[in-house]
């Protein structure tokens, strides 16, 4: 496909920010922890809105009002998942449904608790998806180990909207007949925040402080 045609391939980004982070309740909501003065959820939103995406959808849920206040003023759509306790799949379904309204060629599923992800990482993934002519699943990797985010082509949208329970999209990747392209982006592909200890290791200030 010619470079001009590649540039016309659009990718919507769905940022998952609905979970409760129950393992960190003593230190507040992890997405409201601050890294150099910026909350984790806003860092994710800034990375997503800064890349070559046609649209960004943020899925909120637990403490949705507080989360949405942190991303106010950014060019993105918000969808509130009132059933976030049902598991990650419910957020993916809502996000993909909203993102599909923009008629993208691909949808990137991105977690909001990965502080090392930068706009350049997302641009690299989108570039690989365009090179595949929007036909392959493109997955971030670190030293050959699969991570996040992941871009799914249009042919996988129906499967994403059929997810149930607390499962992410791994089954779709493993069971699909689509080609899977792993793209090295370094440690940012695997580093997420799950514990208070990790927050401190990153030099972050937990919400409760």
């Amino acid at each position: 496909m010619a470079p001009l045609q590649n540039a016309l391939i659009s990718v919507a980004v769905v940022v998952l920010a609905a979970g409760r982070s129950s393992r960190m309740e003593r230190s507040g909501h992890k997405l409201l922890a601050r890294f150099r003065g910026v909350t984790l959820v806003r860092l994710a939103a800034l990375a997503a809105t800064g890349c070559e995406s046609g649209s960004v959808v943020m899925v909120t849920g637990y403490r949705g009002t507080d989360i949405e206040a942190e991303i106010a003023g950014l060019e993105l759509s918000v969808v509130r998942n009132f059933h976030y306790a049902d598991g990650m799949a419910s957020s993916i379904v809502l996000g993909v449904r909203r993102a599909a309204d923009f008629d993208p060629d691909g949808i990137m599923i991105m977690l909001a608790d990965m502080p090392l992800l930068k706009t350049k990482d997302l641009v690299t993934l989108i570039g690989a998806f365009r090179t595949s002519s929007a036909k392959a699943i493109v997955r971030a990797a670190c030293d050959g180990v699969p991570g996040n985010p992941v871009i799914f082509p249009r042919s996988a949208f129906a499967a994403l909207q059929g997810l149930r329970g607390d499962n992410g999209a791994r089954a779709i990747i493993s069971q699909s007949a689509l080609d899977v392209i792993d793209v090295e982006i370094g440690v940012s592909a695997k580093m997420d925040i799950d514990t208070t200890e990790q927050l401190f290791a990153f030099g972050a200030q937990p919400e409760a402080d």
Side-chain angles (χ1 to χ4, degrees):
M1 182 174 286
L4 179 58
Q5 291 175 300
N6 277 340
L8 295 177
I9 293 174
S10 62
V11 175
V13 181
V14 173
V15 186
L16 304 180
R20 186 170 181 173
S21 64
S22 57
R23 283 180 286 180
M24 298 179 58
E25 286 181 331
R26 293 182 180 179
S27 55
H29 194 341
K30 65 179 176 181
L31 296 184
L32 297 175
R34 295 187 176 273
F35 293 75
R36 299 192 180 97
V38 182
T39 56
L40 181 53
V41 69
R42 188 170 180 87
L43 282 175
L46 288 171
T49 56
C51 75
E52 299 173 1
S53 169
S55 55
V56 177
V57 176
M58 176 79 74
V59 183
T60 65
Y62 175 64
R63 293 187 59 181
T65 300
D66 296 325
I67 293 293
E68 289 160 22
E70 288 297 325
I71 58 176
L74 299 179
E75 293 187 11
L76 50 76
S77 299
V78 175
V79 57
R80 182 83 66 93
N81 180 9
F82 293 99
H83 302 286
Y84 61 86
D86 291 345
M88 182 184 293
S90 63
S91 292
I92 293 175
V93 170
L94 280 179
V96 169
R97 186 178 300 158
R98 175 66 63 87
D101 290 340
F102 298 101
D103 195 30
D105 297 294
I107 293 178
M108 177 188 296
I109 306 296
M110 173 180 169
L111 307 179
D113 63 349
M114 302 182 73
L116 298 185
L117 274 178
K118 300 291 189 291
T119 293
K120 65 180 180 64
D121 298 318
L122 308 188
V123 170
T124 296
L125 294 171
I126 291 172
F129 182 71
R130 288 173 170 167
T131 299
S132 81
S133 300
K135 301 298 184 183
I137 294 172
V138 171
R139 178 174 57 186
C142 175
D143 296 330
V145 179
N148 287 288
V150 181
I151 303 176
F152 294 88
R154 190 189 300 271
S155 58
F157 292 179
L160 289 170
Q161 294 186 68
L163 290 172
R164 296 292 183 270
D166 198 30
N167 298 314
R170 288 183 181 179
I172 294 175
I173 298 172
S174 62
Q175 298 171 10
S176 171
L178 295 168
D179 289 337
V180 179
I181 299 172
D182 285 333
V183 178
E184 289 287 334
I185 62 170
V187 70
S188 58
K190 67 177 184 179
M191 188 59 67
D192 60 354
I193 299 294
D194 287 321
T195 67
T196 302
E197 289 72 23
Q198 287 176 320
L199 279 178
F200 285 122
F202 275 104
Q205 180 182 7
E207 181 197 10
D209 285 2

